[in-house]
Amino acid sequence: MIEILNRKNIFIFMFVFFSMGNVRGNSMDNNIWSFLELLRKEFIMPVDKFSEITGVKVNLEYYNEFTIFYRAEGVKLSENINIGSIDLRANGNELHFPSILSFDISGRCITLNDIKDKFSHLEIVDYPGGHSLNDVTTYATKNDSHGVRLGFSFAEKNPDCLARVVIRK
């Protein structure tokens, strides 16, 4: 009975997502720092509310008993910054609260100093293993009061420019 209810909830959830558009429109301040702050702040919302508030339309990719996997459309921000390859994962057993969100950043170069100007207390949480130019050095913030942490990855192929952001709870 519980499994049938869970499947029914997932189908209702899928319907909501496939019918949602970008309801936020142009009301969001369209720079990278406002976008990151909005994502961080809304990361504690269920995925459907998260999508509604951020304007990032997500599509269900697949799920298992532990995790629901979504892909999202890219977002173009001001100052020639493009967000792409958006991967959102939600806990399958917690009414679809996000657990991890990651995305690539391209366009204008965002440096480590740019990030340090906004987030002063960063620690290195990952570093290149020397096997690939796609290896990354990742700097992360401390967990905020809701347990949300931002990670900023710089790939070896272009170590001066931000390549990927990961937000996790």
Side-chain angles (χ1 to χ4, degrees), residues 112-125:
L112 181 57
N113 285 335
D114 293 335
I115 295 167
K116 285 181 175 179
D117 286 345
K118 302 292 181 181
F119 304 97
S120 58
H121 300 291
L122 297 173
E123 62 180 328
I124 294 177
V125 295

Side-chain angles (χ1 to χ4, degrees), residues 1-136:
M1 181 70 168
I2 292 174
E3 186 172 321
I4 292 170
L5 288 174
N6 284 339
R7 288 185 191 275
K8 183 179 177 186
N9 287 341
I10 288 171
F11 288 119
I12 291 169
F13 186 67
M14 286 174 25
F15 174 76
V16 169
F17 274 109
F18 287 121
S19 64
M20 285 181 64
N22 186 347
V23 298
R24 187 157 178 93
N26 293 327
S27 63
M28 178 176 70
D29 187 4
N30 205 15
N31 70 55
I32 184 65
W33 309 115
S34 296
F35 185 69
L36 287 174
E37 183 60 24
L38 178 67
L39 292 175
R40 186 194 61 74
K41 207 168 75 175
E42 300 304 336
F43 203 66
I44 59 172
M45 299 289 194
V47 173
D48 58 342
K49 193 69 163 168
F50 174 86
S51 185
E52 179 184 325
I53 291 170
T54 63
V56 176
K57 184 178 185 235
V58 296
N59 295 302
L60 178 67
E61 195 166 66
Y62 62 95
Y63 62 93
N64 60 36
E65 62 185 295
F66 305 107
T67 306
I68 304 169
F69 299 84
Y70 301 92
R71 289 280 179 216
E73 298 174 351
V75 176
K76 187 170 183 138
L77 302 176
S78 64
E79 302 173 340
N80 191 30
I81 295 175
N82 300 306
I83 306 298
S85 299
I86 302 171
D87 177 17
L88 175 64
R89 298 176 187 191
N91 296 330
N93 58 354
E94 292 184 13
L95 299 174
H96 316 292
F97 282 91
S99 58
I100 189 166
L101 170 71
S102 64
F103 52 86
D104 293 335
I105 293 189
S106 62
R108 183 180 63 84
C109 179
I110 299 171
T111 67
L112 181 57
N113 285 335
D114 293 335
I115 295 167
K116 285 181 175 179
D117 286 345
K118 302 292 181 181
F119 304 97
S120 58
H121 300 291
L122 297 173
E123 62 180 328
I124 294 177
V125 295
D126 192 16
Y127 52 90
H131 305 292
S132 166
L133 289 176
N134 292 321
D135 284 355
V136 297

Side-chain angles (χ1 to χ4, degrees), residues 140-160:
T141 63
K142 295 181 185 279
N143 290 357
D144 68 11
S145 61
H146 298 289
V148 177
R149 184 176 202 175
L150 281 78
F152 303 96
S153 297
F154 294 81
E156 282 298 291
K157 65 183 168 193
N158 189 3
D160 296 327

